[in-house]
Amino acid sequence: MEEMQLPLRKIIHVDMDAFYASVEQMDNPELRGKPIAVGGGGKRGVVSAASYEARKFGVRSAMSGFLAKRRCPDLIFVHTRFDRYREISKQVRAIFYDYTDLVEPLSLDEAYLDVTQNKKGNPSATLIAEEIRQRIFDEVGITASAGISINKFIAKVASDYNKPNGQKTVNPEEVLTFLENLEIRKFYGVGKVTAEKMYKLGIFTGKDLKGKTQDFLDGHFGKSGSFYYNVVRGIHRSEVKPNRIPKSVAAERTFRDNLTSEIFMVEKLDHIATELAKRLNKYKISGKTVTLKIKYSDFTLQTRSKTLNYFVADKSLILETAKELLYQEKMQNSVRLLGISLANLNTEDKKVENEIPKETLSVQLKFEF
Ligand SMILES: [Mg+2]
């Protein structure tokens, strides 16, 4: 195994299938199963999106409507409705936020999700991607594809693999082979022009690329040289940059056996406060309002809150406040879940930052995908 440092991440790239066209076919049943082009209808119009039925004839986005019609005489042109696409995109994103706040939209129909730590506590990014795609289909009505891997670059490449309505996971131990076998034109960031240049240099696959020195790549590709040098070795440190700032940060735990003794509850709160402080630290967030969430064995839910007059982020202060809330009144029943959350955050005018973990590949391999 080669020596290398890889960030310990579980990244999903979700890509809606023929997004604008799929929305039009969903909203207008008479268009279903037919070759349609969104946009491109005017005299000098350009196609924004083509349905899969139209793609079979060679109709592509960014193609002139004139050429599209020549390739597919039965092509139906539909007007773009961006407000509607934005609305659908919002519904899809709301599903993503059920799993993680680390969502980075690339456009209305694509996003990166970091599910290394996720709200469902699900260790399998593969299963999360399956669940998300199923929910998009059930709740929104269109299909999506997904790529799952250890960084954004590989996830993005992988989401194209089993498109439409499919997904592909590149597990940590498969990463290097996957990249070596990848055709150079499929590398994200390598466009037509760069691909031609690579071919002339004898680079057709990831393996060929890996055979070149950093100096060679710097010399031929300037600033992009080190990007190519690194990504083919599985290294891509770009983080999922959320553009949404969370309103609260929480950690909670469901117990296998319901708790009746407050001594045990305090013990559990200690673990939960540790977990919460870790998250706060990771995102460099602090907050003023501590809330204790109690779910009883009969599933009734109770919350108790206290707002401090200063920001807290460290475990001991959070735990102290949570304990105070715990002892505030007697428990109504045995307890099946405890949670602590922090709101009134100091993130009003701040972007959330998270650091790059520096675990090595050997750690990575123990990772469940
Ligand atoms: Mg798409």
Side-chain angles (χ1 to χ4, degrees):
M1 184 68 61
E2 287 163 79
E3 273 288 325
M4 69 162 95
Q5 297 271 313
L6 285 182
L8 186 66
R9 290 275 167 76
K10 296 178 190 181
I11 308 294
I12 302 175
H13 176 254
V14 180
D15 189 9
M16 307 301 297
D17 302 322
F19 183 55
Y20 302 167
S22 301
V23 172
E24 294 303 335
Q25 287 179 320
M26 171 176 72
D27 288 353
N28 307 291
E30 71 275 13
L31 297 177
R32 288 180 201 165
K34 295 194 178 140
I36 73 161
V38 178
K43 210 171 169 198
R44 300 164 66 84
V46 171
V47 173
S48 299
S51 69
Y52 281 94
E53 295 84 356
R55 290 181 191 198
K56 278 188 208 138
F57 292 88
V59 178
R60 298 278 179 273
S61 53
M63 177 180 279
S64 77
F66 180 79
L67 177 56
K69 187 82 180 171
R70 211 168 57 192
R71 287 198 175 171
C72 176
D74 292 331
L75 190 63
I76 302 165
F77 289 100
V78 182
H79 287 293
T80 49
R81 293 182 301 148
F82 284 107
D83 285 344
R84 179 65 177 146
Y85 310 145
R86 265 190 287 276
E87 188 183 349
I88 298 286
S89 183
K90 236 170 127 179
Q91 291 175 21
V92 172
R93 275 177 210 169
I95 295 174
F96 297 158
Y97 291 127
D98 278 349
Y99 297 82
T100 176
D101 285 322
L102 293 177
V103 175
E104 179 183 347
L106 285 173
S107 60
L108 287 181
D109 76 321
E110 276 180 62
Y112 292 115
L113 283 67
D114 186 331
V115 296
T116 314
Q117 280 162 341
N118 59 78
K119 297 179 186 178
K120 305 283 181 187
N122 186 342
S124 169
T126 302
L127 294 180
I128 291 176
E130 258 169 32
E131 204 176 298
I132 286 176
R133 290 177 41 245
Q134 187 63 47
R135 283 190 58 190
I136 293 173
F137 184 73
D138 293 343
E139 297 168 29
V140 182
I142 48 181
T143 63
S145 298
I148 304 102
S149 196
I150 59 165
N151 64 38
K152 282 158 71 172
F153 177 84
I154 306 169
K156 167 90 181 165
V157 172
S159 69
D160 237 16
Y161 250 71
N162 292 317
K163 213 171 193 358
N165 198 18
Q167 65 180 61
K168 173 162 181 67
T169 300
V170 182
N171 285 303
E173 63 272 26
E174 299 167 338
V175 160
L176 296 177
T177 314
F178 176 82
L179 291 167
E180 281 183 4
N181 292 331
L182 194 63
E183 287 177 57
I184 209 68
R185 63 184 180 87
K186 296 223 166 135
F187 272 65
Y188 179 48
V190 174
K192 244 187 179 157
V193 177
T194 310
E196 287 302 329
K197 194 170 168 184
M198 294 252 185
Y199 296 158
K200 282 190 188 125
L201 295 167
I203 304 169
F204 299 92
T205 65
K207 194 170 185 169
D208 299 331
L209 179 63
K210 211 172 177 179
K212 304 296 179 193
T213 63
Q214 172 132 32
D215 277 352
F216 178 90
L217 294 173
D218 286 348
H220 286 282
F221 299 100
K223 269 179 135 180
S224 306
S226 60
F227 170 77
Y228 298 137
Y229 184 85
N230 284 317
V231 290
V232 75
R233 287 169 173 77
I235 301 164
H236 186 229
R237 297 192 187 282
S238 171
E239 295 163 35
V240 172
K241 297 168 200 81
N243 61 0
R244 185 176 105 145
I245 293 163
K247 287 196 162 54
S248 70
V249 182
E252 59 181 46
R253 201 166 284 192
T254 303
F255 312 115
R256 202 163 356 127
D257 301 310
N258 296 331
L259 303 180
T260 45
S261 155
E262 274 149 8
I263 296 167
F264 288 128
M265 292 180 206
V266 169
E267 204 177 283
K268 300 297 180 191
L269 283 182
D270 192 295
H271 296 303
I272 296 165
T274 303
E275 178 60 30
L276 178 59
K278 234 193 323 193
R279 279 183 209 178
L280 293 166
N281 196 22
K282 184 177 169 194
Y283 303 135
K284 298 180 176 59
I285 287 173
S286 57
K288 288 183 176 175
T289 303
V290 178
T291 299
L292 175 68
K293 175 175 162 186
I294 305 157
K295 197 189 257 177
Y296 292 104
S297 49
D298 62 356
F299 286 84
T300 55
L301 197 67
Q302 196 185 42
T303 57
R304 304 172 183 175
S305 294
K306 183 179 180 178
T307 298
L308 307 165
N309 47 18
Y310 47 88
F311 286 106
V312 290
D314 72 285
K315 182 202 150 181
S316 58
L317 281 170
I318 292 168
L319 181 60
E320 276 320 303
T321 314
K323 269 158 70 178
E324 201 182 305
L325 293 167
L326 179 74
Y327 288 120
Q328 194 175 290
E329 52 181 290
K330 264 198 96 53
M331 293 293 164
Q332 299 162 358
N333 208 329
S334 61
V335 170
R336 75 183 309 267
L337 173 149
L338 284 174
I340 308 173
S341 66
L342 194 65
N344 255 320
L345 304 176
N346 67 333
T347 46
E348 308 283 291
D349 50 0
K350 224 170 85 180
K351 271 258 161 195
V352 176
E353 291 170 26
N354 54 345
E355 64 201 23
I356 303 170
K358 292 183 185 61
E359 287 83 351
T360 59
L361 187 63
S362 58
V363 178
Q364 189 78 253
L365 293 177
K366 287 183 223 136
F367 230 35
E368 273 180 88
F369 257 71

